[in-house]
Amino acid sequence: MYTQSFNVQEGAAAVVPAPAANAPSAAQQRFDAKVSADTKIEPQDWMPEAYRKTLIRQISQHAHSEIVGMLPEGNWISRAPSLKRKAILIAKVQDEGGHGLYLYSAAETLGVSRDQMLEALHSGKAKYSSIFNYPTLNWADVGVIGWLVDGAAIMNQIPLCRCSYGPYARAMIRVCKEESFHQRQGYEALLALMRGSKEQQAMVQDAVNRWWWKCLAMFGPPDADSPHSAQAMHWGIKRISNDDLRQKFIDATVPQAQLLGITLPDPDLKWNEERQHYDYGAIDWDEFWSTVNGNGPCNKERLATRVKAHDEGQWVRDAALAYAHKQQHRTQKEAA
Ligand code: FAQ
């Protein structure tokens, strides 16, 4: 800022020309320059209102996905087949809760309150990932969630570590490290089942059949039908498009499925030599939108469980606030 004022050429007219109509403001120019130079935008920086709103939307949806995502696997903590599997699952579900907290904190830096975000989730206004509205019918589902759901989540979230908004990018670095452990534990649990009985192998295949297509839809609608992608990519929030991430996920997952010894439920899944990618069949987008819009098999159950947990935690929030007030009162008394 100061350098600009010192950079006036000798003899240059001292009069600053009036900005042309619709010319970007100085603040907008600084923002654009930071985004093009790949410098992070921080909470105290000026940012366009639409950028702020997009981030609040995406980060809060992401946070909601993490805390709703605790529920399908949480259902299996009491039924895990061994102490080792139970300990791993408890740690994983706790991690998802922690991811929700980092993400809510990142969204709060944009001027929205935790209460506002939770109200939007509990009233059904806010979206969260479609994938968490499907049931976990058997133990193999828990392994498949780790392998495929966390696998898809990492594929989508690694580029977000380079997101232009600093607090979101930094939160994603830790989230991705933990998701990587989640993916591996899921794959390892499935390997153990595949080395077991015919019934266990059939359970894995059945779970993969039910989850595969839903995981492909996690990446969001095709690029041509994604209203937010172009602007989000222009702002450096999203770095890779929905379709490109989906393709990367499929290409990475096919060899893992082969090693596991299961079949991915898509007769059109074939290596395309020319494209150097796997071709794949059509995703049922009607089913996806119906689930996103509240009509999936578990939407109502998931929201009811969240609201109940929130209501039952009221005493914890009250106690923490009462303690904070007591501390504040004591400090003021000592200072007086
Ligand atoms: N489900 O224009 P786009 C996890 C909505 S975390 C529901 O493409 P955008 C960890 C979208 O919100 C999983 N809704 O939107 C874990 C928008 O609606 P709106 C969550 C979806 O934002 C593992 C509309 O469609 N991850 O799994 C979905 O540019 C295991 C138009 O779509 C994140 O949130 C969907 N799948 O791209 C936890 C990552 N896809 O707002 C527990 C961060 C799209 O206009 C256990 N988010 N929609 O009403 C993102 O990367 C992006 O927001 C996308 C969507 C890629 C999800």
Side-chain angles (χ1 to χ4, degrees):
M1 194 168 108
Y2 294 109
T3 44
Q4 281 170 14
S5 62
F6 288 128
N7 274 351
V8 176
Q9 282 177 354
E10 266 187 41
V15 182
V16 178
N22 298 329
S25 66
Q28 175 78 52
Q29 283 177 2
R30 274 196 299 277
F31 171 86
D32 292 341
K34 277 193 172 185
V35 169
S36 346
D38 238 346
T39 311
K40 295 277 175 263
I41 306 294
E42 296 297 341
Q44 67 277 15
D45 293 339
W46 182 90
M47 61 188 83
E49 203 41 37
Y51 177 82
R52 184 189 302 275
K53 281 199 177 132
T54 295
L55 282 168
I56 291 176
R57 181 186 63 78
Q58 178 167 328
I59 302 173
S60 62
Q61 286 178 1
H62 192 169
H64 301 327
S65 304
E66 298 283 355
I67 63 166
V68 176
M70 297 167 76
L71 303 175
E73 289 170 286
N75 281 340
W76 280 88
I77 290 175
S78 59
R79 292 174 285 169
S82 69
L83 184 59
K84 176 182 143 189
R85 296 288 173 203
K86 192 198 241 337
I88 294 173
L89 188 56
I90 290 172
K92 178 183 191 295
V93 171
Q94 277 178 345
D95 282 353
E96 311 295 3
H99 298 173
L101 297 184
Y102 316 149
L103 289 163
Y104 283 124
S105 300
E108 280 171 325
T109 64
L110 292 154
V112 62
S113 75
R114 184 88 51 116
D115 284 346
Q116 283 171 306
M117 289 185 273
L118 288 178
E119 206 286 313
L121 173 66
H122 295 162
S123 63
K125 269 188 267 162
K127 288 195 171 71
Y128 58 86
S129 184
S130 49
I131 195 75
F132 302 117
N133 291 307
Y134 298 98
T136 37
L137 302 182
N138 66 46
W139 173 251
D141 288 39
V142 174
V144 169
I145 289 180
W147 174 39
L148 295 181
V149 175
D150 285 279
I154 302 172
M155 194 56 89
N156 164 268
Q157 290 171 23
I158 293 277
L160 293 174
C161 298
R162 292 187 294 115
C163 160
S164 57
Y165 188 57
Y168 192 26
R170 290 189 287 274
M172 292 321 300
I173 292 172
R174 176 149 177 193
V175 169
C176 284
K177 284 186 184 158
E178 292 175 354
E179 297 292 18
S180 165
F181 150 73
H182 298 169
Q183 197 265 357
R184 282 159 196 227
Q185 67 78 37
Y187 194 68
E188 196 271 331
L190 294 179
L191 273 177
L193 285 172
M194 291 304 288
R195 290 192 194 113
S197 65
K198 288 260 168 292
E199 286 79 6
Q200 286 171 314
Q201 292 165 4
M203 263 166 65
V204 176
Q205 184 63 61
D206 169 60
V208 170
N209 292 349
R210 284 181 288 106
W211 288 92
W212 173 249
W213 289 102
K214 324 285 187 231
C215 289
L216 298 190
M218 276 176 77
F219 294 93
D223 294 349
D225 303 327
S226 163
H228 303 299
S229 279
Q231 183 62 69
M233 288 181 79
H234 176 72
W235 278 327
I237 296 174
K238 279 166 97 161
R239 299 283 177 166
I240 305 181
S241 81
N242 297 359
D243 283 332
D244 287 350
L245 284 170
R246 192 170 4 254
Q247 183 72 65
K248 276 165 86 75
F249 173 71
I250 293 169
D251 291 349
T253 308
V254 171
Q256 295 170 13
Q258 284 162 352
L259 189 74
L260 206 52
I262 54 104
T263 308
L264 293 170
D266 178 359
D268 297 323
L269 190 66
K270 281 188 196 76
W271 178 251
N272 182 324
E273 195 55 40
E274 203 181 318
R275 290 200 313 121
Q276 289 290 301
H277 288 296
Y278 281 93
D279 289 337
Y280 55 96
I283 296 172
D284 184 348
W285 291 110
D286 290 342
E287 201 260 354
F288 167 79
W289 286 117
S290 163
T291 303
V292 170
N293 291 326
N295 304 313
C298 300
N299 297 56
K300 290 181 184 63
E301 182 188 329
R302 298 289 185 244
L303 269 194
T305 310
R306 271 302 330 152
V307 171
K308 183 167 177 280
H310 187 72
D311 291 347
E312 287 177 357
Q314 185 61 49
W315 70 271
V316 179
R317 294 188 294 280
D318 290 345
L321 272 179
Y323 182 70
H325 285 146
K326 216 159 120 184
Q327 291 274 70
Q328 197 183 18
H329 186 66
R330 193 174 298 152
T331 318
Q332 279 167 354
K333 225 165 125 188
E334 278 167 11

